[in-house]
Amino acid sequence: MKKIFSSAILIFLTMLFSTVAFGQDPSKSIHIEALISVDKVQQGSSFMMAVVMDIEPPFHINSSSPLDESFIPTKIEFLETEGVVFGEPIYPKGENQKLSFSEDPISVYSG
């Protein structure tokens, strides 16, 4: 179980550090929590995991489906973990916003 959360945390830390490259300070702007659908994971059973991100205004990250191919999409990738099979992540729909650095709206997740 710790490996699953470690994998999720590693992925999101990578995502957070990528926002620094674009001028946003993520230290207090994005809060991430991983939740599972059961109290205890049983060997051979299935469960669902949700990754909840609370993004403080005015910060944003690209959605999983940016409108411009030059933008890097938000992506969840799980590290291979022995005995665990991950399904494909399901992403929420992004919000189209017109931001000062872009002539056209972009698809983002924001607070």
XYZ file of all heavy atoms in Angstrom:
862
model
N 0.817 -1.190 0.000
C 0.000 0.000 0.000
C 0.858 1.251 0.000
O 0.547 2.204 -0.694
C -0.910 -0.060 1.244
C -1.953 0.975 1.203
S -2.768 0.687 -0.338
C -3.896 1.884 -0.420
N 1.929 1.243 0.797
C 2.815 2.405 0.829
C 3.418 2.668 -0.541
O 3.650 3.800 -0.913
C 3.910 2.214 1.875
C 3.401 2.330 3.289
C 4.531 2.212 4.276
C 4.003 2.326 5.689
N 5.037 2.204 6.678
N 3.683 1.583 -1.292
C 4.265 1.749 -2.625
C 3.314 2.499 -3.548
O 3.740 3.297 -4.365
C 4.617 0.385 -3.232
C 5.803 -0.276 -2.593
C 6.107 -1.578 -3.285
C 7.275 -2.275 -2.640
N 7.599 -3.528 -3.309
N 2.006 2.237 -3.419
C 1.031 2.899 -4.279
C 1.047 4.394 -4.010
O 1.127 5.207 -4.914
C -0.381 2.321 -4.048
C -0.425 0.871 -4.511
C -1.434 3.152 -4.787
C -1.683 0.145 -4.128
N 0.985 4.762 -2.723
C 0.987 6.181 -2.391
C 2.327 6.816 -2.730
O 2.375 7.951 -3.181
C 0.647 6.403 -0.914
C -0.809 6.165 -0.626
C -1.205 5.136 0.201
C -1.774 6.960 -1.213
C -2.541 4.916 0.454
C -3.116 6.749 -0.963
C -3.497 5.713 -0.137
N 3.423 6.088 -2.551
C 4.739 6.621 -2.913
C 4.804 6.913 -4.401
O 5.337 7.935 -4.821
C 5.847 5.636 -2.530
O 5.881 5.455 -1.139
N 4.258 6.025 -5.205
C 4.243 6.227 -6.657
C 3.438 7.464 -7.014
O 3.868 8.294 -7.810
C 3.634 5.008 -7.362
O 4.426 3.869 -7.150
N 2.253 7.598 -6.413
C 1.400 8.746 -6.712
C 2.062 10.044 -6.276
O 2.056 11.037 -6.997
C 0.039 8.594 -6.025
N 2.664 10.041 -5.112
C 3.322 11.250 -4.605
C 4.500 11.630 -5.489
O 4.682 12.798 -5.814
C 3.735 11.063 -3.143
C 2.482 11.042 -2.266
C 4.688 12.164 -2.684
C 2.722 10.639 -0.837
N 5.302 10.666 -5.918
C 6.442 10.943 -6.786
C 5.988 11.594 -8.091
O 6.567 12.578 -8.546
C 7.210 9.652 -7.087
C 8.389 9.772 -8.036
C 9.462 10.681 -7.439
C 8.960 8.403 -8.331
N 4.928 11.092 -8.646
C 4.407 11.644 -9.897
C 3.961 13.084 -9.705
O 4.275 13.966 -10.495
C 3.251 10.775 -10.416
C 3.791 9.419 -10.878
C 2.498 11.469 -11.549
C 2.760 8.351 -11.009
N 3.257 13.337 -8.626
C 2.746 14.684 -8.422
C 3.834 15.664 -8.014
O 3.753 16.841 -8.343
C 1.581 14.680 -7.440
C 0.374 14.084 -8.076
C -0.089 12.857 -7.687
C -0.255 14.731 -9.124
C -1.180 12.293 -8.306
C -1.344 14.177 -9.752
C -1.806 12.953 -9.343
N 4.856 15.189 -7.340
C 5.977 16.079 -7.047
C 6.656 16.511 -8.341
O 7.012 17.671 -8.509
C 6.981 15.410 -6.109
C 6.543 15.290 -4.658
C 7.579 14.502 -3.857
C 6.324 16.650 -4.032
N 6.796 15.575 -9.264
C 7.363 15.901 -10.567
C 6.506 16.945 -11.263
O 7.011 17.914 -11.825
C 7.451 14.631 -11.446
O 8.238 13.668 -10.765
C 8.045 14.935 -12.802
N 5.186 16.767 -11.188
C 4.275 17.713 -11.806
C 4.388 19.085 -11.147
O 4.400 20.110 -11.822
C 2.847 17.180 -11.664
C 1.877 17.750 -12.623
S 0.321 16.851 -12.610
C -0.141 16.922 -10.909
N 4.507 19.099 -9.836
C 4.620 20.369 -9.127
C 5.895 21.104 -9.494
O 5.894 22.304 -9.713
C 4.583 20.143 -7.613
C 3.234 19.795 -7.031
C 3.368 19.515 -5.542
C 2.236 20.893 -7.267
N 7.011 20.380 -9.548
C 8.268 21.033 -9.879
C 8.255 21.577 -11.301
O 8.915 22.557 -11.593
C 9.453 20.086 -9.673
C 9.736 19.818 -8.228
C 9.833 18.531 -7.754
C 9.889 20.862 -7.325
C 10.083 18.292 -6.412
C 10.135 20.629 -5.987
C 10.236 19.335 -5.528
N 7.477 20.959 -12.178
C 7.398 21.480 -13.550
C 6.714 22.836 -13.575
O 6.969 23.642 -14.447
C 6.690 20.495 -14.467
O 5.325 20.416 -14.147
N 5.835 23.124 -12.608
C 5.183 24.435 -12.594
C 6.169 25.529 -12.220
O 6.004 26.673 -12.630
C 3.986 24.474 -11.616
O 4.455 24.243 -10.303
C 2.918 23.492 -12.001
N 7.213 25.199 -11.474
C 8.222 26.194 -11.105
C 8.921 26.712 -12.358
O 9.225 27.897 -12.473
C 9.250 25.598 -10.122
C 10.380 26.573 -9.869
C 8.569 25.235 -8.807
N 9.119 25.826 -13.316
C 9.793 26.226 -14.549
C 8.995 27.296 -15.291
O 9.552 28.050 -16.071
C 9.997 25.010 -15.452
N 7.708 27.379 -15.048
C 6.864 28.354 -15.726
C 6.529 29.542 -14.833
O 5.577 30.250 -15.074
C 5.588 27.679 -16.242
C 5.898 26.651 -17.290
C 5.887 25.300 -16.971
C 6.235 27.022 -18.575
C 6.194 24.356 -17.926
C 6.539 26.078 -19.532
C 6.519 24.743 -19.205
N 7.303 29.746 -13.767
C 7.170 30.948 -12.966
C 6.169 30.888 -11.839
O 5.876 31.899 -11.230
N 5.624 29.729 -11.540
C 4.685 29.625 -10.432
C 5.386 28.966 -9.252
O 6.087 27.986 -9.412
C 3.476 28.790 -10.835
C 2.670 29.424 -11.938
C 1.397 28.648 -12.188
O 0.749 28.205 -11.271
N 1.055 28.483 -13.451
N 5.178 29.506 -8.061
C 5.749 28.928 -6.846
C 4.732 27.966 -6.237
O 3.724 28.396 -5.684
C 6.089 30.033 -5.843
C 6.619 29.495 -4.533
O 6.848 28.269 -4.435
O 6.789 30.287 -3.605
N 4.968 26.654 -6.363
C 3.977 25.683 -5.904
C 4.002 25.419 -4.401
O 3.198 24.648 -3.914
C 4.379 24.422 -6.664
C 5.854 24.537 -6.777
C 6.100 26.018 -7.002
N 4.875 26.054 -3.654
C 5.036 25.708 -2.248
C 3.740 25.806 -1.453
O 3.522 25.020 -0.543
C 6.124 26.566 -1.605
O 5.746 27.931 -1.620
N 2.888 26.748 -1.783
C 1.619 26.873 -1.069
C 0.440 26.956 -2.023
O -0.677 27.245 -1.613
C 1.648 28.107 -0.174
C 2.660 27.992 0.933
C 2.613 29.177 1.841
C 3.670 29.006 2.921
N 3.732 30.161 3.804
N 0.661 26.705 -3.284
C -0.394 26.916 -4.265
C -1.171 25.661 -4.636
O -2.299 25.760 -5.091
C 0.179 27.543 -5.525
O 1.147 26.696 -6.085
N -0.576 24.493 -4.473
C -1.245 23.254 -4.862
C -1.143 22.252 -3.715
O -0.061 21.984 -3.211
C -0.622 22.655 -6.139
C -0.691 23.658 -7.285
C -1.317 21.355 -6.514
C -0.013 23.199 -8.554
N -2.296 21.713 -3.326
C -2.348 20.694 -2.274
C -2.876 19.409 -2.909
O -3.881 19.434 -3.609
C -3.262 21.149 -1.141
C -2.928 22.520 -0.642
N -1.909 22.760 0.247
C -3.455 23.729 -0.943
C -1.832 24.056 0.492
N -2.757 24.674 -0.227
N -2.200 18.299 -2.647
C -2.552 17.034 -3.284
C -2.847 15.993 -2.209
O -2.115 15.881 -1.222
C -1.408 16.539 -4.181
C -1.132 17.574 -5.270
C -1.729 15.182 -4.788
C 0.125 17.311 -6.045
N -3.911 15.236 -2.433
C -4.281 14.177 -1.503
C -4.706 12.959 -2.315
O -5.460 13.084 -3.282
C -5.430 14.658 -0.620
C -5.865 13.653 0.409
C -6.988 14.175 1.295
O -7.604 15.212 0.963
O -7.253 13.536 2.309
N -4.215 11.788 -1.937
C -4.626 10.542 -2.581
C -5.595 9.823 -1.652
O -5.329 9.673 -0.464
C -3.414 9.661 -2.870
N -6.725 9.407 -2.196
C -7.754 8.711 -1.431
C -8.033 7.366 -2.083
O -7.973 7.250 -3.312
C -9.041 9.534 -1.405
C -8.937 10.968 -0.910
C -10.229 11.723 -1.200
C -8.628 10.987 0.570
N -8.349 6.356 -1.276
C -8.744 5.063 -1.834
C -10.142 4.715 -1.355
O -10.616 5.234 -0.339
C -7.733 3.940 -1.505
C -7.580 3.742 0.002
C -6.389 4.222 -2.148
C -6.761 2.510 0.355
N -10.811 3.828 -2.090
C -12.221 3.524 -1.852
C -12.464 2.490 -0.755
O -13.609 2.162 -0.471
C -12.866 3.039 -3.159
O -12.226 1.850 -3.603
N -11.411 1.978 -0.151
C -11.559 0.975 0.907
C -10.698 1.358 2.100
O -9.748 2.132 1.974
C -11.161 -0.438 0.410
C -12.097 -0.922 -0.682
C -9.725 -0.470 -0.089
N -11.046 0.808 3.260
C -10.247 1.073 4.456
C -8.949 0.272 4.454
O -7.920 0.733 4.931
C -11.032 0.730 5.730
C -12.193 1.681 5.955
O -12.082 2.866 5.556
O -13.208 1.247 6.522
N -9.014 -0.953 3.927
C -7.838 -1.830 3.899
C -7.813 -2.573 2.568
O -8.826 -3.148 2.160
C -7.910 -2.832 5.064
C -6.697 -3.688 5.206
C -6.801 -4.585 6.431
C -5.556 -5.434 6.562
N -5.640 -6.346 7.704
N -6.683 -2.560 1.908
C -6.547 -3.245 0.621
C -6.279 -4.725 0.875
O -5.360 -5.083 1.609
C -5.398 -2.630 -0.214
C -5.207 -3.411 -1.503
C -5.684 -1.166 -0.497
N -7.120 -5.567 0.290
C -6.983 -7.019 0.420
C -6.301 -7.570 -0.828
O -6.606 -7.136 -1.938
C -8.375 -7.668 0.546
C -9.205 -7.177 1.715
C -8.783 -7.807 3.021
O -8.259 -8.919 3.049
N -8.999 -7.096 4.117
N -5.392 -8.528 -0.636
C -4.721 -9.153 -1.774
C -5.769 -9.757 -2.711
O -6.701 -10.416 -2.277
C -3.757 -10.234 -1.301
C -2.977 -10.862 -2.421
C -1.944 -11.867 -1.911
O -1.806 -12.070 -0.720
N -1.240 -12.484 -2.814
N -5.634 -9.480 -4.006
C -6.537 -10.015 -5.013
C -7.816 -9.207 -5.205
O -8.626 -9.538 -6.049
N -7.980 -8.144 -4.426
C -9.199 -7.345 -4.554
C -8.947 -6.103 -5.400
O -7.811 -5.749 -5.684
C -9.708 -6.940 -3.166
O -8.799 -6.051 -2.551
N -10.031 -5.443 -5.772
C -9.942 -4.211 -6.545
C -10.356 -3.038 -5.671
O -11.136 -3.194 -4.734
C -10.880 -4.272 -7.756
O -10.483 -5.291 -8.634
N -9.839 -1.885 -5.993
C -10.245 -0.667 -5.315
C -9.993 0.499 -6.259
O -9.296 0.368 -7.256
C -9.488 -0.471 -3.993
C -8.005 -0.285 -4.147
C -7.452 0.989 -4.224
C -7.151 -1.372 -4.211
C -6.088 1.167 -4.371
C -5.788 -1.210 -4.361
C -5.256 0.064 -4.433
N -10.563 1.634 -5.933
C -10.359 2.824 -6.743
C -9.540 3.823 -5.948
O -9.612 3.862 -4.724
C -11.701 3.438 -7.141
C -12.498 2.511 -8.058
S -14.016 3.260 -8.651
C -13.362 4.515 -9.711
N -8.762 4.614 -6.668
C -7.972 5.666 -6.048
C -8.343 6.984 -6.720
O -8.513 7.038 -7.934
C -6.472 5.424 -6.232
C -5.642 6.496 -5.547
S -3.854 6.531 -5.875
C -3.346 4.868 -5.978
N -8.462 8.011 -5.907
C -8.704 9.360 -6.432
C -7.560 10.252 -5.982
O -7.099 10.152 -4.843
C -10.025 9.911 -5.915
N -7.087 11.058 -6.876
C -6.062 12.043 -6.542
C -6.751 13.399 -6.609
O -7.244 13.804 -7.660
C -4.869 11.971 -7.514
C -3.850 13.037 -7.169
C -4.243 10.579 -7.469
N -6.828 14.057 -5.458
C -7.536 15.327 -5.362
C -6.503 16.445 -5.289
O -5.612 16.424 -4.444
C -8.437 15.355 -4.103
C -9.153 16.694 -3.999
C -9.417 14.197 -4.130
N -6.625 17.386 -6.193
C -5.715 18.527 -6.218
C -6.507 19.792 -5.925
O -7.508 20.062 -6.580
C -5.061 18.650 -7.587
C -4.165 17.486 -7.914
S -3.456 17.566 -9.581
C -2.700 19.149 -9.591
N -6.071 20.536 -4.936
C -6.675 21.826 -4.618
C -5.681 22.887 -5.063
O -4.590 23.003 -4.509
C -6.951 21.917 -3.119
C -7.644 23.200 -2.730
O -8.285 23.833 -3.605
O -7.551 23.580 -1.554
N -6.037 23.634 -6.089
C -5.150 24.635 -6.681
C -5.633 26.014 -6.256
O -6.758 26.406 -6.570
C -5.123 24.507 -8.219
C -4.731 23.076 -8.613
C -4.180 25.534 -8.826
C -4.917 22.766 -10.080
N -4.785 26.725 -5.538
C -5.156 28.049 -5.033
C -5.140 29.080 -6.168
O -4.247 29.090 -6.988
C -4.158 28.497 -3.959
C -4.120 27.596 -2.731
C -5.361 27.693 -1.872
O -5.992 28.763 -1.858
O -5.691 26.687 -1.226
N -6.141 29.953 -6.195
C -6.118 31.052 -7.173
C -4.916 31.948 -6.912
O -4.539 32.102 -5.755
C -7.427 31.802 -6.893
C -8.279 30.865 -6.098
C -7.338 29.965 -5.373
N -4.284 32.476 -7.887
C -4.597 32.459 -9.315
C -3.814 31.387 -10.068
O -3.675 31.467 -11.272
C -4.138 33.847 -9.750
C -2.891 34.079 -8.941
C -3.214 33.445 -7.595
N -3.291 30.393 -9.378
C -2.455 29.384 -10.016
C -3.282 28.433 -10.876
O -4.491 28.285 -10.690
C -1.670 28.597 -8.967
C -0.680 29.449 -8.233
C -0.993 30.003 -6.999
C 0.556 29.723 -8.776
C -0.092 30.803 -6.320
C 1.469 30.520 -8.114
C 1.141 31.067 -6.885
N -2.619 27.772 -11.800
C -3.250 26.803 -12.687
C -2.194 25.823 -13.179
O -0.994 26.092 -13.078
C -3.899 27.505 -13.892
C -2.879 28.125 -14.799
N -2.387 29.403 -14.594
C -2.229 27.635 -15.886
C -1.494 29.662 -15.525
N -1.375 28.611 -16.327
N -2.657 24.694 -13.693
C -1.792 23.757 -14.414
C -2.539 23.380 -15.689
O -3.768 23.497 -15.760
C -1.434 22.496 -13.593
C -2.681 21.698 -13.206
C -0.618 22.862 -12.366
C -2.370 20.367 -12.551
N -1.806 22.937 -16.687
C -2.451 22.512 -17.928
C -3.360 21.324 -17.651
O -3.064 20.479 -16.810
C -1.407 22.110 -18.972
C -0.589 23.276 -19.455
O -1.020 24.417 -19.407
N 0.613 22.998 -19.911
N -4.463 21.235 -18.375
C -5.341 20.073 -18.235
C -4.677 18.868 -18.915
O -3.610 18.987 -19.520
C -6.698 20.358 -18.869
O -6.636 20.255 -20.273
N -5.347 17.735 -18.829
C -4.820 16.531 -19.479
C -4.982 16.593 -20.992
O -4.390 15.796 -21.715
C -5.521 15.290 -18.934
O -6.901 15.359 -19.205
N -5.782 17.553 -21.467
C -6.020 17.721 -22.907
C -5.869 19.189 -23.302
O -6.852 19.878 -23.583
C -7.428 17.243 -23.266
O -7.627 15.914 -22.892
N -4.627 19.690 -23.304
C -4.453 21.099 -23.673
C -4.915 21.353 -25.104
O -4.880 20.456 -25.944
C -2.952 21.337 -23.528
C -2.317 20.028 -23.313
C -3.379 19.020 -23.049
N -5.359 22.562 -25.356
C -5.879 22.903 -26.689
C -4.766 23.173 -27.694
O -5.001 23.164 -28.898
C -6.797 24.132 -26.586
C -7.994 23.968 -25.649
C -8.769 25.272 -25.539
C -8.882 22.831 -26.116
N -3.566 23.400 -27.202
C -2.413 23.687 -28.055
C -1.384 22.576 -27.839
O -1.012 22.275 -26.702
C -1.814 25.047 -27.663
C -0.698 25.491 -28.573
O 0.163 24.648 -28.941
O -0.651 26.682 -28.902
N -0.939 21.957 -28.914
C -0.012 20.825 -28.777
C 1.352 21.225 -28.206
O 2.120 20.371 -27.784
C 0.156 20.088 -30.098
C 0.784 20.905 -31.206
C 0.831 20.152 -32.522
O -0.154 19.472 -32.873
O 1.861 20.253 -33.201
N 1.643 22.512 -28.138
C 2.919 22.938 -27.562
C 2.884 22.954 -26.030
O 3.914 23.045 -25.392
C 3.325 24.318 -28.077
O 2.431 25.312 -27.618
N 1.677 22.848 -25.425
C 1.563 22.798 -23.971
C 1.671 21.355 -23.494
O 1.147 20.439 -24.126
C 0.241 23.406 -23.502
C 0.161 24.891 -23.710
C -0.763 25.433 -24.576
C 1.019 25.755 -23.041
C -0.840 26.804 -24.777
C 0.956 27.121 -23.236
C 0.022 27.651 -24.106
N 2.326 21.171 -22.368
C 2.523 19.832 -21.802
C 1.288 19.454 -20.985
O 0.913 20.171 -20.061
C 3.783 19.799 -20.909
C 5.010 20.170 -21.729
C 3.943 18.428 -20.248
C 6.260 20.406 -20.898
N 0.643 18.311 -21.308
C -0.556 17.923 -20.572
C -0.222 17.407 -19.167
O 0.852 16.855 -18.933
C -1.143 16.795 -21.418
C 0.005 16.253 -22.189
C 0.964 17.391 -22.389
N -1.155 17.610 -18.241
C -1.044 16.983 -16.932
C -1.290 15.497 -17.138
O -2.226 15.104 -17.832
C -2.082 17.571 -15.961
O -1.739 18.934 -15.720
C -2.115 16.816 -14.650
N -0.445 14.680 -16.549
C -0.514 13.251 -16.792
C -0.163 12.502 -15.515
O 0.788 12.866 -14.824
C 0.491 12.909 -17.901
C 0.459 11.522 -18.402
C 1.411 11.394 -19.586
C 1.512 9.982 -20.067
N 2.464 9.854 -21.166
N -0.938 11.493 -15.194
C -0.635 10.625 -14.055
C -0.028 9.349 -14.598
O -0.615 8.701 -15.471
C -1.911 10.291 -13.253
C -2.490 11.555 -12.641
C -1.613 9.260 -12.174
C -3.809 11.347 -11.947
N 1.138 9.001 -14.109
C 1.784 7.744 -14.480
C 2.191 7.043 -13.191
O 2.864 7.625 -12.350
C 3.028 7.995 -15.332
C 2.724 8.556 -16.698
C 3.984 8.782 -17.512
O 5.075 8.901 -16.920
O 3.876 8.855 -18.741
N 1.758 5.798 -13.052
C 2.109 5.039 -11.862
C 3.360 4.219 -12.128
O 3.540 3.666 -13.209
C 0.958 4.124 -11.456
C -0.245 4.892 -10.999
C -1.334 5.067 -11.833
C -0.274 5.460 -9.738
C -2.434 5.791 -11.414
C -1.369 6.184 -9.307
C -2.453 6.348 -10.151
N 4.219 4.163 -11.140
C 5.408 3.334 -11.238
C 5.005 1.873 -11.121
O 4.060 1.548 -10.397
C 6.397 3.697 -10.127
C 6.875 5.148 -10.098
C 7.774 5.379 -8.883
C 7.633 5.474 -11.371
N 5.720 1.009 -11.836
C 5.424 -0.418 -11.725
C 5.587 -0.835 -10.279
O 6.592 -0.545 -9.637
C 6.384 -1.231 -12.598
C 5.824 -1.534 -13.954
C 6.693 -2.532 -14.705
O 7.099 -3.563 -14.134
O 6.967 -2.242 -15.872
N 4.560 -1.507 -9.762
C 4.562 -1.971 -8.381
C 4.187 -3.443 -8.385
O 3.115 -3.812 -8.882
C 3.545 -1.162 -7.542
O 3.853 0.225 -7.665
C 3.592 -1.565 -6.091
N 5.056 -4.277 -7.872
C 4.821 -5.715 -7.882
C 3.490 -6.045 -7.212
O 3.189 -5.559 -6.119
C 5.955 -6.443 -7.157
C 5.864 -7.950 -7.247
C 7.038 -8.642 -6.587
O 8.103 -8.016 -6.442
O 6.863 -9.806 -6.210
N 2.664 -6.835 -7.899
C 1.396 -7.263 -7.346
C 0.260 -6.276 -7.511
O -0.854 -6.528 -7.060
N 0.512 -5.135 -8.162
C -0.536 -4.130 -8.344
C -0.689 -3.842 -9.831
O 0.290 -3.615 -10.534
C -0.195 -2.816 -7.594
C -1.271 -1.774 -7.836
C -0.016 -3.066 -6.109
N -1.924 -3.858 -10.297
C -2.229 -3.533 -11.685
C -3.075 -2.264 -11.673
O -4.133 -2.218 -11.049
C -3.009 -4.673 -12.377
C -3.380 -4.285 -13.802
C -2.209 -5.967 -12.347
N -2.592 -1.234 -12.345
C -3.311 0.038 -12.406
C -4.123 0.119 -13.686
O -3.659 -0.280 -14.746
C -2.327 1.216 -12.379
C -1.585 1.348 -11.086
C -0.280 0.904 -10.971
C -2.201 1.913 -9.986
C 0.411 1.023 -9.777
C -1.518 2.040 -8.786
C -0.207 1.597 -8.681
N -5.309 0.664 -13.594
C -6.127 0.944 -14.769
C -5.727 2.292 -15.338
O -4.868 2.992 -14.802
N -6.358 2.665 -16.432
C -6.087 3.965 -17.044
C -6.718 5.068 -16.193
O -7.868 4.951 -15.777
C -6.657 4.026 -18.459
C -5.870 3.219 -19.472
C -4.453 3.718 -19.631
O -4.247 4.948 -19.754
O -3.539 2.884 -19.631
N -5.988 6.133 -15.949
C -6.570 7.244 -15.182
C -7.714 7.916 -15.945
O -7.718 7.956 -17.175
C -5.406 8.236 -15.027
C -4.180 7.504 -15.439
C -4.602 6.375 -16.306
N -8.670 8.421 -15.201
C -9.770 9.206 -15.763
C -9.570 10.633 -15.265
O -9.495 10.870 -14.063
C -11.135 8.664 -15.307
C -11.296 7.219 -15.760
C -12.264 9.548 -15.839
C -12.512 6.526 -15.170
N -9.449 11.558 -16.195
C -9.172 12.953 -15.855
C -10.443 13.790 -15.925
O -11.292 13.550 -16.785
C -8.152 13.545 -16.830
C -6.815 12.858 -16.818
C -6.520 11.833 -17.713
C -5.835 13.241 -15.912
C -5.291 11.209 -17.701
C -4.589 12.619 -15.900
C -4.330 11.600 -16.798
O -3.102 10.983 -16.784
N -10.546 14.804 -15.081
C -11.688 15.726 -15.225
C -11.501 16.598 -16.464
O -10.386 16.744 -16.972
C -11.620 16.574 -13.949
C -10.197 16.516 -13.520
C -9.671 15.172 -13.971
N -12.587 17.152 -16.924
C -12.523 18.066 -18.064
C -11.829 19.353 -17.617
O -12.055 19.840 -16.515
C -13.932 18.379 -18.558
C -13.966 19.244 -19.773
C -15.377 19.467 -20.258
C -15.333 20.390 -21.468
N -16.650 20.671 -21.983
N -10.970 19.876 -18.459
C -10.311 21.139 -18.164
C -11.253 22.313 -18.338
O -12.331 22.187 -18.929
N -10.834 23.439 -17.827
C -11.602 24.673 -17.952
C -10.871 25.578 -18.945
O -9.686 25.851 -18.781
C -11.654 25.333 -16.576
C -12.336 26.650 -16.511
C -12.268 27.233 -15.101
O -12.051 26.491 -14.136
O -12.400 28.462 -15.006
N -11.553 26.017 -19.991
C -10.928 26.899 -20.975
C -10.832 28.309 -20.411
O -11.844 28.893 -20.033
C -11.710 26.905 -22.287
C -11.628 25.571 -22.996
O -10.784 24.739 -22.694
N -12.512 25.350 -23.935
N -9.611 28.824 -20.332
C -9.386 30.167 -19.801
C -8.518 30.959 -20.756
O -7.609 30.420 -21.382
C -8.680 30.113 -18.449
C -9.518 29.603 -17.319
C -8.802 29.727 -15.986
O -7.706 30.278 -15.896
N -9.418 29.210 -14.943
N -8.788 32.235 -20.841
C -7.953 33.159 -21.612
C -6.954 33.760 -20.628
O -7.334 34.441 -19.680
C -8.835 34.253 -22.239
C -8.063 35.348 -22.941
C -7.508 34.861 -24.258
C -6.848 35.966 -25.047
N -5.492 36.274 -24.647
N -5.683 33.449 -20.811
C -4.631 33.936 -19.916
C -3.767 34.970 -20.642
O -3.680 34.975 -21.873
C -3.792 32.767 -19.416
C -4.599 31.702 -18.648
C -3.745 30.481 -18.361
C -5.158 32.271 -17.358
N -3.114 35.811 -19.883
C -2.393 36.951 -20.449
C -1.276 36.562 -21.427
O -0.982 37.301 -22.343
C -1.805 37.802 -19.326
O -0.886 37.041 -18.563
N -0.691 35.401 -21.268
C 0.438 35.017 -22.123
C 0.020 34.308 -23.409
O 0.858 33.972 -24.235
C 1.420 34.121 -21.343
C 0.817 32.824 -20.891
C 0.772 31.725 -21.724
C 0.303 32.712 -19.611
C 0.219 30.533 -21.306
C -0.250 31.527 -19.173
C -0.299 30.440 -20.027
N -1.276 34.082 -23.594
C -1.735 33.335 -24.760
C -2.843 34.104 -25.478
O -3.748 34.650 -24.848
C -2.258 31.966 -24.319
O -2.798 31.270 -25.406
N -2.774 34.129 -26.812
C -3.810 34.802 -27.595
C -5.122 34.031 -27.563
O -6.201 34.618 -27.613
C -3.350 34.969 -29.044
C -2.213 35.957 -29.205
C -1.818 36.127 -30.671
O -2.590 35.725 -31.567
O -0.731 36.675 -30.908
N -5.025 32.708 -27.478
C -6.222 31.856 -27.491
C -6.448 31.268 -26.094
O -5.503 31.119 -25.301
C -6.026 30.716 -28.502
C -5.870 31.235 -29.908
O -6.628 32.141 -30.302
O -4.970 30.736 -30.620
N -7.685 30.869 -25.790
C -7.936 30.194 -24.502
C -7.126 28.903 -24.428
O -6.838 28.262 -25.446
C -9.434 29.896 -24.533
C -10.010 30.797 -25.566
C -8.899 31.030 -26.568
N -6.773 28.513 -23.208
C -6.086 27.242 -22.993
C -6.896 26.435 -21.984
O -7.658 26.987 -21.192
C -4.624 27.422 -22.522
C -4.559 28.146 -21.192
C -3.804 28.150 -23.567
C -3.166 28.163 -20.602
N -6.743 25.133 -22.019
C -7.477 24.243 -21.127
C -6.613 23.985 -19.887
O -5.503 23.458 -19.994
C -7.784 22.928 -21.847
O -8.493 22.055 -20.999
N -7.137 24.370 -18.722
C -6.372 24.271 -17.473
C -7.222 23.706 -16.350
O -8.452 23.644 -16.446
C -5.816 25.651 -17.030
C -4.869 26.229 -18.064
C -6.943 26.632 -16.735
N -6.531 23.303 -15.289
C -7.156 23.026 -13.998
C -6.730 24.179 -13.106
O -5.563 24.554 -13.077
C -6.654 21.710 -13.400
C -6.903 20.487 -14.263
C -5.887 19.579 -14.512
C -8.168 20.228 -14.802
C -6.113 18.449 -15.280
C -8.385 19.092 -15.577
C -7.359 18.211 -15.809
O -7.578 17.092 -16.573
N -7.687 24.751 -12.394
C -7.351 25.890 -11.533
C -8.247 25.874 -10.304
O -9.219 25.127 -10.227
C -7.525 27.211 -12.295
O -8.860 27.385 -12.680
N -7.902 26.762 -9.346
C -8.676 26.854 -8.105
C -9.859 27.756 -8.261
O -10.132 28.364 -9.242
